[in-house]
């Protein structure tokens, strides 16, 4: 099973993570080429603790339709299911947050520089500019001004 | 003095719970006004009665609230904060209907609600205000009177729109022009005013409580950790002030309250400059979000005191402050980007322990939408001193588990552990310069992910482990606990 973790409009596979696998009741972390054994203590369902670098860390993990929710010592990591991020060309843009489309800044068919504002979202009284990740052409907008969009929704077909 | 018997709470989230809890303790019948979709919510359980609103904007609608109050035979309304809490027309409308408004007098709200009028009133009362002027007929004379660096602000404005910082005399005219243009476009009103810009200023405020016989202050608070002008961390008392300065600020706040013949709970906000000079910013004529840290240190129930003052009564016996309390605002936001997000909470563990207080506005199953503000809960810690309070609060945040909507607990932990914060040397611009937002998942997260992945691989989603939950939570979308 593969996952992508969402960082706003960019998605990345968890490559900054060290490799990790489960062997019995021990997690094996591959750190700088050498394996490190991390003991796991299972608590009630969804909760467990790890022992890493001499510290006991409390963890909670659950899964809903959006993907995995991982808390380690209060710090939350969301790992979205890869299936949510299908379709869309390279450079196509997803909504980094749910909100209302304030305006479409660029025009369809327009060629823009990297960093150019393509459209603007608003939520909780906050405006957010969605920008081109790289130079290219706006093939089509997949949303209209005034429309309410979910986080992760494909906004622009970009090439 | 006779306390109200039936109180309508015209608010939602954690503040509705806060007010209803006091009603319950005092044996007052608490009625909560909510929109249908705002369920499950903790206020439902604390309220004795729930009444439906049609839409979220009803919280701002005076005739609707008045009609509901009459329908449920409320003899008082508590507005919480925001919404109608600082609306003098609402207070007047209730007065006309013989219903008590648990808040400030309409006249005090009017006087403090107008930035320019309150500034003039304060100057007259001998309360220091930031040097500045409205008279721009001779721009260079206005600049000389204000001094550099200065701020140009739109008179009609809010939220810092059009605001310009001028550090060099040569930039002044261009900045003035720009501010006027923005103000004209945004507000249809190009009047602007000048104000000295206080660099590295702290936000220090004073809790005021006034009855018909006296004006009391319950110490200072520091709310300098801010993002986009929103408070993130608050504490009581403001750290590092000499007792003489702390007393002087409190005394000045009491003078400000007396100048508008204040009643009830209010907060006088000041800018505190590094040289110890302080200036009146504004007075919030309501209970504030951060009132809990004051309650922890002073051992008081400010909502109960509001109800007593609204009933024309006197304040309970004074108390002495003890120790230190810190609060963080747990908000719905993407932990990676800090942007707003929505969702539905499927797993929730609040921290507890010595000195810990959680004022929460959500329960398992709550929808966090974009209709309301992003505050999920206020997490507070009291300790015998500031260091201990910070340690307890960090420990509480590490115990927190909230899944189903993104939140900022990791970022709050970074702030609490930062040497600048621990030294108490924070100014209002500090957080924006820290770049504490970049979240790097650690090795422990990788290990936890490995465990979770092995569990998801063993049992494909949707087939095993679906939680059977009691009734109000049945609508919760399928989720499962791993491993």
């Amino acid at each position: 099973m593969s996952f992508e973790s969402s960082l706003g409009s960019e998605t990345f596979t968890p490559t900054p993570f060290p490799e990790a696998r489960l062997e019995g009741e021990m997690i094996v972390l591959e750190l700088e080429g050498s394996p490190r054994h991390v003991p796991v203590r299972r608590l009630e369902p969804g909760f467990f603790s790890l022992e890493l670098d001499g510290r006991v860390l409390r963890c909670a993990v659950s899964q809903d339709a959006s993907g995995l929710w991982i808390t380690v010592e209060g710090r939350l990591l969301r790992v979205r299911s890869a299936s949510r991020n299908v379709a869309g060309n390279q450079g196509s843009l997803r909504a980094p947050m749910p909100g209302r489309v304030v305006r479409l800044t660029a025009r369809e068919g327009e060629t823009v520089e990297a960093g150019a504002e393509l459209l603007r979202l608003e939520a909780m009284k906050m405006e957010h500019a969605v920008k081109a990740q790289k130079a290219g052409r706006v093939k089509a907008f997949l949303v209209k001004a005034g429309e309410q969009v979910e986080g992760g929704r494909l906004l622009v077909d970009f090439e | 003095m006779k306390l109200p018997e039936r109180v309508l709470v015209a608010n939602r989230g954690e503040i509705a719970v806060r007010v209803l809890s006091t009603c319950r303790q005092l044996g007052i019948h608490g009625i909560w006004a909510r929109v249908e979709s705002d369920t499950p919510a903790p206020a439902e359980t604390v309220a004795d009665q729930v009444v439906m609103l049609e839409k979220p904007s009803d919280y701002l609608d005076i005739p609707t609230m008045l009609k509901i109050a009459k329908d449920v035979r409320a003899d008082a309304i508590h507005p919480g904060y925001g919404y109608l809490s600082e609306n003098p027309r609402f207070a007047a409308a209730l007065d006309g209907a013989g219903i008590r408004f648990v808040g400030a007098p309409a006249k005090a709200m009017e006087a403090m609600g107008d930035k320019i009028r309150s500034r003039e009133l304060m100057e007259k009362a001998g309360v220091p205000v930031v040097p500045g002027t409205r008279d721009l007929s001779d721009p260079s004379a206005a600049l000389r009177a204000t001094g550099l660096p200065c701020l140009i602000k739109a008179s009609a404005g809010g939220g810092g729109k059009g605001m310009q910082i001028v550090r060099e005399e040569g930039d002044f005219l261009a900045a003035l022009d720009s501010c006027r243009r923005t103000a004209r476009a945004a507000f249809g009103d190009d009047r602007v005013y000048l104000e000295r810009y206080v660099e590295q200023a702290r936000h220090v405020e004073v809790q005021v409580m006034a009855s018909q016989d006296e004006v009391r202050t319950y110490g200072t608070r520091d709310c300098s950790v801010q993002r986009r002008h929103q408070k993130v961390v608050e504490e009581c008392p403001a750290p590092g002030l000499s007792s003489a300065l702390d007393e002087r600020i409190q005394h000045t706040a009491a003078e400000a309250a007396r100048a508008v013949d204040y009643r009830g709970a209010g907060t006088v906000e000041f800018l505190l400059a590094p040289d110890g000079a302080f200036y009146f910013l504004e007075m919030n004529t309501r209970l504030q979000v951060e009132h809990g840290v004051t309650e922890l240190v002073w051992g008081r129930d400010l909502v109960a005191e509001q109800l007593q003052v609204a009933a024309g009564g006197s304040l309970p016996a004074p108390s002495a402050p003890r120790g230190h309390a810190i609060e963080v605002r747990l908000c719905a936001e993407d932990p990676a980007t800090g942007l707003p997000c929505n969702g539905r909470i499927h797993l929730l563990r609040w921290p507890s322990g010595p000195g810990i207080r959680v004022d929460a506005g959500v329960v398992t199953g709550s929808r966090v939408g974009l209709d309301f503000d992003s505050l999920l809960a206020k997490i507070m810690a009291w300790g015998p001193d500031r260091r201990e309070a910070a340690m307890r609060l960090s420990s509480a945040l590490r115990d927190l588990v909230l899944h189903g909507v993104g939140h900022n607990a990791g970022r709050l932990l970074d702030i609490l552990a930062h040497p600048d914060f621990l030294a108490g040397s924070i100014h209002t611009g500090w957080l924006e310069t820290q770049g504490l937002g970049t979240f790097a998942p650690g090795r422990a997260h990788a290990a936890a992910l490995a465990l979770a992945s092995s569990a998801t691989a063993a049992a494909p989603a949707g087939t095993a482990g679906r939680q059977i939950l009691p009734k109000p939570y049945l609508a919760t979308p399928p989720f499962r606990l791993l491993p």
Side-chain angles (χ1 to χ4, degrees):
Chain A
M1 195 162 192
S2 71
F3 295 99
E4 285 185 343
S5 177
S6 160
L7 279 175
S9 53
E10 292 166 275
T11 52
F12 75 107
T13 41
T15 40
F17 274 13
E19 287 290 314
R21 65 182 183 278
L22 190 65
E23 281 179 10
E25 283 307 274
M26 202 68 101
I27 294 168
V28 183
L29 271 178
E30 293 291 342
L31 293 173
E32 286 123 29
S34 61
R36 172 94 67 95
H37 292 263
V38 181
V40 179
R41 191 157 58 95
R42 289 175 193 262
L43 310 167
E44 61 198 291
F47 294 82
F48 55 95
S49 67
L50 301 173
E51 204 177 321
L52 191 63
D53 302 328
R55 284 182 65 209
V56 177
L57 307 171
R58 271 93 182 160
C59 309
V61 178
S62 64
Q63 182 184 31
D64 65 7
S66 71
L68 287 175
W69 299 79
I70 302 174
T71 297
V72 177
E73 294 281 303
R75 291 171 195 271
L76 174 66
L77 173 70
R78 294 187 63 179
V79 183
R80 292 186 206 271
S81 313
S83 58
R84 259 171 70 90
N85 289 322
V86 290
N89 301 324
Q90 275 290 310
S92 292
L93 283 164
R94 289 175 185 281
M97 63 181 197
R100 195 177 57 85
V101 179
V102 182
R103 65 160 181 266
L104 305 176
T105 317
R107 286 186 315 272
E108 288 189 352
E110 187 179 352
T111 304
V112 297
E113 295 296 309
E117 180 178 318
L118 302 178
L119 59 88
R120 204 159 254 273
L121 287 176
E122 188 253 4
M124 291 169 177
K125 295 177 200 159
M126 227 181 90
E127 282 197 11
H128 181 79
V130 176
K131 294 173 178 168
Q133 310 277 311
K134 52 172 191 161
R137 194 175 74 90
V138 180
K139 264 179 82 180
F141 281 109
L142 307 171
V143 292
K144 293 192 291 286
E147 192 175 336
Q148 199 72 36
V149 299
E150 279 296 306
R153 162 97 176 261
L154 207 53
L155 299 171
V156 190
D157 194 358
F158 192 82
E159 60 178 14
Chain B
M1 189 262 308
K2 195 168 152 294
L3 281 177
E5 287 173 2
R6 298 171 66 84
V7 172
L8 173 65
V9 179
N11 213 308
R12 62 172 302 282
E14 65 85 20
I15 193 63
V17 180
R18 171 69 194 84
V19 174
L20 289 162
S21 304
T22 289
C23 289
R24 200 164 159 70
Q25 286 187 355
L26 297 178
I28 296 169
H29 185 82
I31 307 155
W32 182 40
R34 76 150 219 246
V35 293
E36 194 156 11
S37 62
D38 196 4
T39 185
E44 287 174 301
T45 322
V46 194
D48 296 310
Q49 187 181 345
V50 174
V51 55
M52 289 298 164
L53 300 173
E54 273 176 30
K55 50 193 183 305
S57 61
D58 284 349
Y59 283 118
L60 286 162
D61 192 88
I62 295 174
T64 300
M65 278 302 165
L66 198 57
K67 183 180 177 303
I68 289 176
K70 286 178 183 163
D71 288 350
V72 300
R73 293 178 292 113
D75 54 0
I77 294 191
H78 196 300
Y81 48 70
Y83 296 130
L84 292 170
S85 63
E86 293 180 276
N87 189 316
R89 284 181 298 118
F90 185 50
L94 290 188
D95 199 39
I99 298 169
R100 285 175 183 142
F101 175 70
V102 187
K107 277 191 175 159
M109 289 195 274
E110 266 166 22
M112 287 303 188
D114 180 320
K115 290 249 174 202
I116 287 166
R117 198 171 141 214
S118 65
R119 199 185 139 95
E120 285 168 1
L121 257 170
M122 290 301 107
E123 273 186 301
K124 221 178 282 169
V127 173
V129 296
V130 182
T133 180
R134 269 195 298 162
D135 178 10
L136 283 150
S137 53
D138 178 355
S140 52
L143 184 61
R144 270 198 307 281
T146 306
L148 279 171
C150 79
L151 288 172
I152 312 174
K153 291 180 171 175
S155 296
K161 208 151 198 172
M163 193 167 83
Q164 298 275 334
I165 299 179
V166 180
R167 294 177 189 281
E168 308 276 339
E169 202 174 336
D171 300 335
F172 177 62
L173 288 175
L176 183 63
D177 203 43
S178 157
C179 182
R180 278 181 169 150
R181 249 184 296 124
T182 313
R184 199 181 309 129
F187 313 112
D189 177 350
D190 66 359
R191 286 176 306 145
V192 299
Y193 62 98
L194 295 191
E195 210 173 79
R196 173 85 60 81
Y197 178 57
V198 184
E199 305 232 37
Q200 309 254 307
R202 287 168 61 180
H203 175 114
V204 173
E205 59 184 36
V206 175
Q207 178 67 53
V208 172
M209 182 62 76
S211 69
Q212 55 190 354
D213 356 278
E214 59 181 318
V215 174
R216 276 193 205 161
T217 56
Y218 295 142
T220 53
R221 288 189 293 254
D222 187 305
C223 318
S224 299
V225 181
Q226 298 184 1
R227 192 179 65 150
R228 298 183 209 112
H229 306 290
Q230 296 289 312
K231 295 166 185 170
V232 179
V233 182
E234 297 117 330
E235 55 187 302
C236 173
L241 306 189
S242 69
S243 59
L245 179 58
D246 193 281
E247 270 169 39
R248 209 142 42 85
I249 295 175
Q250 288 193 60
H251 178 79
T252 307
E255 288 304 313
R258 281 191 195 98
V260 292
D261 199 17
Y262 200 76
R263 294 282 185 285
T267 298
V268 184
E269 298 190 334
F270 297 98
L271 273 183
L272 174 64
D275 63 1
F278 60 91
Y279 308 99
F280 173 83
L281 265 182
E282 62 179 335
M283 180 168 189
N284 293 314
T285 51
R286 56 171 155 86
L287 190 68
Q288 273 188 290
V289 176
E290 60 270 27
H291 73 278
V293 286
T294 299
E295 291 185 321
L296 287 172
V297 168
W298 288 73
R300 309 201 72 88
D301 178 344
L302 297 181
V303 175
E305 295 188 23
Q306 284 189 297
L307 290 165
Q308 270 152 329
V309 171
S314 306
L315 296 172
S319 55
R322 202 170 60 92
H324 199 98
I326 308 178
E327 162 180 296
V328 288
R329 295 192 188 188
L330 186 74
C331 291
E333 64 179 49
D334 189 303
T337 61
L339 295 173
C341 63
N342 58 358
R344 189 146 191 189
I345 297 168
H346 63 261
L347 184 62
L348 181 58
R349 289 290 160 95
W350 294 121
S352 62
I356 301 302
R357 168 172 158 182
V358 178
D359 283 15
V362 291
V363 289
T364 307
S366 288
R367 288 189 197 89
V368 179
L370 305 169
D371 283 343
F372 300 115
D373 79 13
S374 62
L375 184 67
L376 298 167
K378 305 180 304 196
I379 301 175
M380 296 167 241
W382 178 89
D385 56 37
R386 186 172 186 265
R387 198 179 137 271
E388 191 128 344
M391 276 173 52
R392 283 177 165 179
L393 189 52
S394 291
S395 170
L397 279 173
R398 288 197 302 271
D399 287 346
L400 171 82
V401 176
L402 192 156
H403 288 180
V405 64
H407 60 75
N408 61 340
R411 204 174 295 229
L412 296 171
L413 277 164
D414 290 341
I415 295 170
L416 292 175
H418 198 286
D420 292 350
F421 178 80
L422 293 172
S425 56
I426 299 285
H427 59 87
T428 54
W430 176 80
L431 187 55
E432 310 265 6
T433 60
Q434 287 307 304
L436 287 176
T438 44
F439 172 67
R443 291 180 293 174
H445 281 98
L449 177 61
L451 197 60
S453 302
S454 71
T456 53
T463 59
R466 183 186 291 206
Q467 292 293 295
I468 308 298
L469 289 164
K471 205 183 150 213
Y473 314 133
L474 271 179
T476 308
F479 71 94
R480 40 199 200 115
L481 302 170
L482 300 166

